[in-house]
Amino acid sequence: MVAIPGPSVVPDRVMKAMHQASPDIYSDEFHTLSASVHSDLKRVVQSENIYLAAYIANGHGAWEAALTNLFSPGDLILVISTGIFAAGWARFADALGIQAEVMEFGFRNDIDTERLAERLEEDKDGQIKAVLTVHVDTASSVRNDIQSLSSILKDSGHPALLLVDCIASLACDPYRMDAWGVDVTIAASQKGLMLPTGMAFVFFSHRAMQAGMGAKLRTPYWDWNRRVNPDEFYQTYCGTAPAQHLFGLREALDMILNEEGLENVLQRHAILAKAVWAAVDQWGREGPLECNIVNREKRSHAVTALRAGAPYGAQLRQWLSTHTGVTLGVGLGAGTPDDPEASGAFRIGHMGHLNAHMMMGTLASMEAGFEAIGCPRGQGAIEAAAAEIKRLEHFRTS
Ligand SMILES: Cc1ncc(COP(=O)(O)O)c(C=O)c1O
């Protein structure tokens, strides 16, 4: 089983839904299916007043789509970094000739909104066109408070757009695009949406659409206007529609929205995450293991980054995949340049199609692994996790 933070486990039901012969992509039936997927994806970001451009791409494609639809060479953007992914987005911007100013908060913290407020205050003539950040950084596993960040922007009266990468968090951590006033949300198919990699989504507000009208970086393939206002269906995906992905998405969205219910999905993620943290707290009592993000309120419900000290992180991952069939995520960005393994970083992905017995199986396998590699640790981890799991009021049956 993969317990990595994406691609996540694809449910059999989704695989079966994808396993269909190619349909007539010019039929009304197929166009209706595509439209239903688009409108349900908007329900997942909790927004009604937005456009959705869907791409046959991974998350990096959606980054580029957002940048090219909004900006021109020389534009200044402020990128707020709390791990590795926002900085990656900034590098894309740089490569496109956009000036990306990175405000760095390190690998173990969330955003300090006061520093943002000060920077916006300095920018009297509104040079900063947009503020970009990630909701959840999949490497550090921090969850940023997007609502507060948006309030800072609004209260400052600064006209910058707010762009948020929700690739790790969508359908895992609560996210409300409309209520929080986000202009652009980036997502992809392979994490909380439970699909294979291959589709990426850019949700954008009317304000963003207007702001991007003069963007000189726009190219025909990434152009979001044509995708949301197609003269004919063909333009919705700028070419042949990804039929099997859309079949899979239809099934996954039924599972999320119409069967389990989004609130229950989010609650399940919260409880499974807390089970992980409860186990780590116990293990960490008498050993090196700790969560990368110390403050629980700032941790994502989709992924937990851990530090076990060298050499335990790498040894544990190796032992688990060899002896138990559980694959944990590699640590990203946590070591030092001289010694990337120093923190013994690794990650547990707990996103998407995951239930209590999968989570408990992962944690119990880790217990066995710590014993096998001789990693010092406290006792009682599995009992502590079970105490959290017991709070689950429903479970996913399929
Ligand atoms: C927060 C975040 N942003 C961006 C990406 C890049 O997405 P992709 O690998 O699909 O291109 C990832 C991938 O893990 C991610 O977790």
Side-chain angles (χ1 to χ4, degrees):
M1 185 193 117
V2 285
I4 64 173
S8 62
V9 173
V10 179
D12 281 351
R13 277 179 62 181
V14 171
M15 301 245 237
K16 282 190 190 131
M18 296 180 76
H19 193 89
Q20 287 186 51
S22 295
D24 176 4
I25 56 168
Y26 301 100
S27 68
D28 288 348
E29 194 186 349
F30 185 70
H31 299 175
T32 304
L33 174 116
S34 168
S36 79
V37 163
H38 281 231
S39 72
D40 278 352
L41 283 168
K42 293 179 191 173
R43 288 170 62 197
V44 181
V45 293
Q46 306 204 30
S47 180
E48 284 161 11
N49 308 310
I50 44 154
Y51 305 101
L52 165 58
Y55 297 91
I56 300 162
N58 59 16
H60 282 77
W63 279 353
E64 187 157 325
L67 295 170
T68 52
N69 275 289
L70 283 169
F71 306 118
S72 299
D75 279 352
L76 175 65
I77 60 172
L78 181 62
V79 182
I80 306 186
S81 171
T82 54
I84 68 168
F85 286 96
W89 203 359
R91 282 194 296 278
F92 264 43
D94 268 340
L96 289 163
I98 300 163
Q99 290 181 69
E101 177 182 323
V102 178
M103 185 178 275
E104 182 57 67
F105 290 98
F107 195 71
R108 304 195 71 177
N109 309 304
D110 67 323
I111 296 166
D112 170 358
T113 44
E114 271 180 32
R115 259 179 71 195
L116 171 65
E118 281 163 21
R119 181 65 187 91
L120 293 173
E121 173 65 27
E122 273 168 31
D123 187 39
K124 301 269 185 248
D125 51 354
Q127 287 298 308
I128 299 171
K129 295 275 184 298
V131 173
L132 283 69
T133 196
V134 294
H135 184 209
V136 165
D137 188 288
T138 326
S140 70
S141 73
V142 77
R143 180 177 59 197
N144 288 309
D145 181 349
I146 301 301
Q147 189 172 18
S148 297
L149 197 149
S150 176
S151 303
I152 294 287
L153 262 169
K154 301 278 169 316
D155 296 350
S156 69
H158 197 288
L161 297 168
L162 176 59
L163 278 63
V164 180
D165 168 337
C166 285
I167 288 171
S169 58
L170 197 69
C172 304
D173 286 283
Y175 183 76
R176 299 188 170 83
M177 183 167 171
D178 273 1
W180 296 352
V182 177
D183 293 294
V184 177
T185 298
I186 306 290
S189 57
Q190 75 271 19
K191 304 199 194 229
L193 292 175
M194 311 185 293
L195 266 283
T197 312
M199 282 194 80
F201 310 102
V202 181
F203 303 87
F204 58 103
S205 65
H206 190 64
R207 193 168 92 102
M209 182 188 255
Q210 295 291 114
M213 283 304 180
K216 298 214 166 39
L217 285 168
R218 179 173 294 120
T219 57
Y221 184 75
W222 296 115
D223 187 349
W224 63 21
N225 291 316
R226 193 45 66 81
R227 287 173 189 254
V228 300
N229 282 320
D231 295 327
E232 50 189 337
F233 179 77
Y234 197 66
Q235 294 166 342
T236 309
Y237 300 97
C238 195
T240 306
Q244 280 73 11
H245 263 72
L246 292 170
F247 290 145
L249 265 175
R250 184 59 274 152
E251 190 74 14
L253 290 164
D254 281 341
M255 291 169 76
I256 293 170
L257 295 170
N258 303 331
E259 295 174 23
E260 189 172 2
L262 185 57
E263 284 311 311
N264 284 335
V265 169
L266 299 176
Q267 192 222 31
R268 172 168 53 81
H269 279 85
I271 290 177
L272 297 179
K274 284 175 186 156
V276 172
W277 308 340
V280 174
D281 283 350
Q282 292 302 119
W283 281 323
R285 278 170 182 265
E286 288 169 44
L289 191 69
E290 60 169 343
C291 285
N292 181 56
I293 301 299
V294 176
N295 183 346
R296 298 176 139 246
E297 302 298 317
K298 310 290 182 187
R299 291 180 194 157
S300 165
H301 296 161
V303 52
T304 300
L306 296 154
R307 310 164 84 92
Y312 296 123
Q315 283 183 356
L316 180 75
R317 285 198 327 102
Q318 176 69 44
W319 191 90
L320 248 66
S321 75
T322 310
H323 294 88
T324 71
V326 172
T327 305
L328 297 177
V330 290
L332 285 180
T336 63
D338 294 337
D339 188 357
E341 280 290 335
S343 66
F346 62 98
R347 294 174 299 162
I348 307 177
H350 33 87
M351 50 176 55
H353 189 57
L354 189 73
N355 61 19
H357 74 248
M358 292 156 88
M359 194 74 261
M360 289 303 282
T362 298
L363 294 172
S365 300
M366 287 174 65
E367 176 73 59
F370 283 133
E371 177 69 21
I373 65 172
C375 177
R377 71 204 180 283
Q379 298 302 306
I382 303 307
E383 290 83 348
E388 292 292 338
I389 294 284
K390 165 171 114 210
R391 297 171 44 230
L392 266 177
E393 284 163 14
H394 68 290
F395 64 101
R396 174 166 268 173
T397 51
S398 55

